[in-house]
Amino acid sequence: MQSYNFLEQNNQRIALMGMSGVGKTTLSNLLPRNEWFHYSIDYRIGTRYLHEEITDLVKIEAMKSPALAKLLRNNSIFIAPNVTFDNLSAISMFIGMVGALDKGGLPLDEFLARLQAHRTAEIKSMEDTKTFINRATNVYGYPNFICDFSGSVCELDAPDVIQSVADECLLVYLKATDSMMSTLIERAQKYPKPLYYQADFLHNAIKNYCEEQSLSSWAEINPDHFAVWVFPHLVEHRIVRYDAIAAKHGITLSAEDTLNITSAEEFLNLIHTTLQKKEGK
């Protein structure tokens, strides 16, 4: 982690880290876009490194319609995912969920392949951070830079990649309090969505789930029910990893302390104060 007087820096660079729903995007949006270049790892994944794969999946669905299939074959229509900073549904669609095919699930091997493709895309997107810092400064003239990590950054097991970003940016971890965590889990269980899992974690989770539900294999899993069941276990798995990254490379902010922040000045002052405390000043 870099040691400096944060508020006196002419070129402030931040990388926000934390679970989905803790407020990373909300805080990022407080930083004025005429002064801050906003770089989203998830957006980069969806628009660069998984763009073709996502597009192909959408086209496969469209080809099931004879009318659309005819238009696609003669290039009469154009289909592409609309990935934005605030809408990452297309990436979730690509990842999918493991489970019974007749319930919308994916075969285990295919699901693992998609997870690996996402991991590769996420690593490449993080490696692009320095390039975008240089573009922000030299091409667009932005004095400051904010990077919004994907929620699965703690799962990558790619310390060199995280180090490379930490060499350029201050890593700021938004840590959910116990009460917030309960809300996040409740929300995720009410509205389950595809998520990234490490292979070892996934295999163990499937084994435990099948034993608990008296199922013989992944092929009998209800994917939506599994997503609800596994989320608290995933949270427990990730917290330790987030804490370790923050302790080595950056600072930790209580996500609850950021809930009432309404301006960039308040946000940056909180970062500065936390840095001073960590450095014993």
Side-chain angles (χ1 to χ4, degrees), residues 212-274:
E212 185 177 305
Q213 301 293 320
S214 299
L215 305 177
S216 60
S217 76
W218 63 265
E220 298 178 0
I221 289 177
N222 180 316
D224 288 330
H225 187 268
F226 177 74
V228 170
W229 177 90
V230 78
F231 190 76
H233 303 283
L234 181 66
V235 167
E236 183 178 353
H237 169 75
R238 287 186 173 184
I239 286 176
V240 177
R241 292 170 169 268
Y242 278 125
D243 287 343
I245 294 172
K248 182 175 181 179
H249 296 291
I251 61 172
T252 299
L253 303 181
S254 168
E256 196 165 39
D257 289 344
T258 67
L259 290 178
N260 295 321
I261 288 179
T262 58
S263 69
E265 182 180 9
E266 289 180 292
F267 179 35
L268 298 178
N269 280 332
L270 179 59
I271 291 175
H272 175 73
T273 301
T274 306

Side-chain angles (χ1 to χ4, degrees), residues 51-244:
H51 180 80
E52 290 185 3
E53 290 85 347
I54 294 171
T55 301
D56 284 347
L57 284 180
V58 176
K59 288 181 178 179
I60 287 172
E61 291 301 313
M63 288 292 290
K64 295 176 182 178
S65 163
L68 292 179
K70 181 178 180 180
L71 292 173
L72 277 172
R73 288 194 183 103
N74 63 25
N75 295 318
S76 296
I77 59 173
F78 174 78
I79 292 179
N82 183 30
V83 178
T84 68
F85 277 29
D86 300 319
N87 188 344
L88 304 171
S89 298
I91 301 175
S92 294
M93 182 273 295
F94 169 79
I95 294 175
M97 295 184 185
V98 67
L101 306 187
D102 62 348
K103 292 182 173 63
L106 293 171
L108 180 57
D109 287 348
E110 182 176 348
F111 185 56
L112 288 169
R114 292 193 189 188
L115 293 180
Q116 181 57 42
H118 185 279
R119 178 180 183 273
T120 299
E122 186 170 349
I123 288 175
K124 289 180 178 178
S125 298
M126 290 186 66
E127 290 174 338
D128 287 344
T129 302
K130 186 172 183 178
T131 298
F132 274 88
I133 289 174
N134 291 334
R135 290 180 67 187
T137 302
N138 300 324
V139 177
Y140 300 108
Y142 285 94
N144 306 305
F145 182 90
I146 176 76
C147 174
D148 189 348
F149 278 175
S150 172
S152 54
V153 64
C154 63
E155 306 277 11
L156 297 180
D157 282 342
D160 291 346
V161 176
I162 293 176
Q163 181 65 62
S164 69
V165 178
D167 288 342
E168 303 295 331
C169 305
L170 171 66
L171 266 61
V172 177
Y173 170 38
L174 298 184
K175 184 173 183 176
T177 61
D178 290 342
S179 60
M180 289 183 68
M181 194 64 71
S182 297
T183 301
L184 293 177
I185 291 174
E186 182 179 331
R187 183 189 306 159
Q189 292 180 325
K190 188 174 182 180
Y191 305 103
K193 67 176 183 179
L195 293 168
Y196 176 88
Y197 310 100
Q198 288 188 335
D200 288 346
F201 173 88
L202 178 65
H203 284 302
N204 288 330
I206 289 175
K207 177 178 179 293
N208 294 333
Y209 178 82
C210 287
E211 289 177 354
E212 185 177 305
Q213 301 293 320
S214 299
L215 305 177
S216 60
S217 76
W218 63 265
E220 298 178 0
I221 289 177
N222 180 316
D224 288 330
H225 187 268
F226 177 74
V228 170
W229 177 90
V230 78
F231 190 76
H233 303 283
L234 181 66
V235 167
E236 183 178 353
H237 169 75
R238 287 186 173 184
I239 286 176
V240 177
R241 292 170 169 268
Y242 278 125
D243 287 343

